[in-house]
């Protein structure tokens, strides 16, 4: 029965032993010319989509908005879900749910005011899509290619290790 302290304790105990998933959320952000925004993180090699890891009990879209504010001082109101990718365990990491959202096209004023404001990002740049894709790590590139296809066809995708099912 809902509200029963014994039942709530039982459910809390079950919850404490269930698996926890890591989640990351990244954004496709474009300028008026259709170029894709990439950031250069200081804590790993290569370029990446803007975004990052969700904190405990944080929704992926909230994590993305927080990361964009923290790293680029960018406020994004509207996000559209494009892709979720289940990434199996790899290296020292457990599995991960990687989300990609469309954060839209920035105005000329937003582009001009964009700057890294966190030590995790050394630089940012807009790239033509064919130039941007090879700069991304393999898993991120697969998610990005699929997310770009969703922009074209409007059909969100579920991926497993970067491959659409």
């Amino acid at each position: 029965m809902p509200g029963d302290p014994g039942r709530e304790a039982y459910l809390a105990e079950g919850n404490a032993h269930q698996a926890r998933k890591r989640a990351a959320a990244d954004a496709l952000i474009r300028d008026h010319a259709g170029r894709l925004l990439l950031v250069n993180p200081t804590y790993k090699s290569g370029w990446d989509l803007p975004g990052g890891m969700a904190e405990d009990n944080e929704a992926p879209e909230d994590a993305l908005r927080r990361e964009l504010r923290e790293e680029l001082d960018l406020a994004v109101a509207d996000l559209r879900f494009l892709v979720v990718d289940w990434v199996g365990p790899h290296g020292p990491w457990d599995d991960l749910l990687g989300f990609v959202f469309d954060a839209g096209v920035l105005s000329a004023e937003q582009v001009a005011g964009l700057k890294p404001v966190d030590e995790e990002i050394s630089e940012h740049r807009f790239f033509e899509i064919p130039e941007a894709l090879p700069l991304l790590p393999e898993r991120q590139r697969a998610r990005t290619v699929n997310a770009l296809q969703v922009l074209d066809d409007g059909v969100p995708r579920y991926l497993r290790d970067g491959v659409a099912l």
Side-chain angles (χ1 to χ4, degrees), residues 70-89:
E70 290 176 359
E71 294 179 350
L72 297 169
D73 196 26
L74 179 63
V76 176
D78 296 324
L79 295 173
R80 182 174 70 130
F81 169 75
L82 301 173
V83 168
V84 65
D85 184 15
W86 180 80
V87 179

Side-chain angles (χ1 to χ4, degrees), residues 2 12 20 22 31-32 35 43 67 70 96 101 104 113 115 129 149 154 161-162 165:
R20 300 285 186 235
R22 292 181 312 125
D31 67 5
H32 66 282
R35 296 177 302 167
Y43 55 90
E67 289 283 348
E70 290 176 359
L96 163 83
F101 293 90
K115 64 185 180 308
I129 290 171
Q149 290 172 346
D161 286 316
L165 296 181

Side-chain angles (χ1 to χ4, degrees), residues 9-95:
Y10 169 77
L11 293 174
E13 177 68 20
N15 182 63
H17 291 93
Q18 290 181 4
R20 300 285 186 235
K21 296 283 185 203
R22 292 181 312 125
D26 297 316
L28 292 188
I29 299 174
R30 281 106 45 227
D31 67 5
H32 66 282
R35 296 177 302 167
L36 188 62
L37 176 64
L38 298 184
V39 295
N40 194 348
T42 58
Y43 55 90
K44 61 182 177 180
S45 62
W47 291 83
D48 212 345
L49 290 177
M53 298 299 294
E55 295 176 354
D56 287 342
N57 299 310
E58 183 179 40
E61 68 275 15
D62 294 338
L64 179 56
R65 285 187 182 99
R66 177 184 49 75
E67 289 283 348
L68 293 174
R69 276 191 317 274
E70 290 176 359
E71 294 179 350
L72 297 169
D73 196 26
L74 179 63
V76 176
D78 296 324
L79 295 173
R80 182 174 70 130
F81 169 75
L82 301 173
V83 168
V84 65
D85 184 15
W86 180 80
V87 179
H90 54 283
W93 302 107
D94 289 334
D95 65 340

Side-chain angles (χ1 to χ4, degrees), residues 26 47-49 100 136-145:
D26 297 316
W47 291 83
D48 212 345
L49 290 177
V100 180
L136 295 171
E138 183 179 346
R139 285 182 178 91
Q140 184 65 275
R141 183 172 47 250
R143 280 195 290 277
T144 302
V145 165

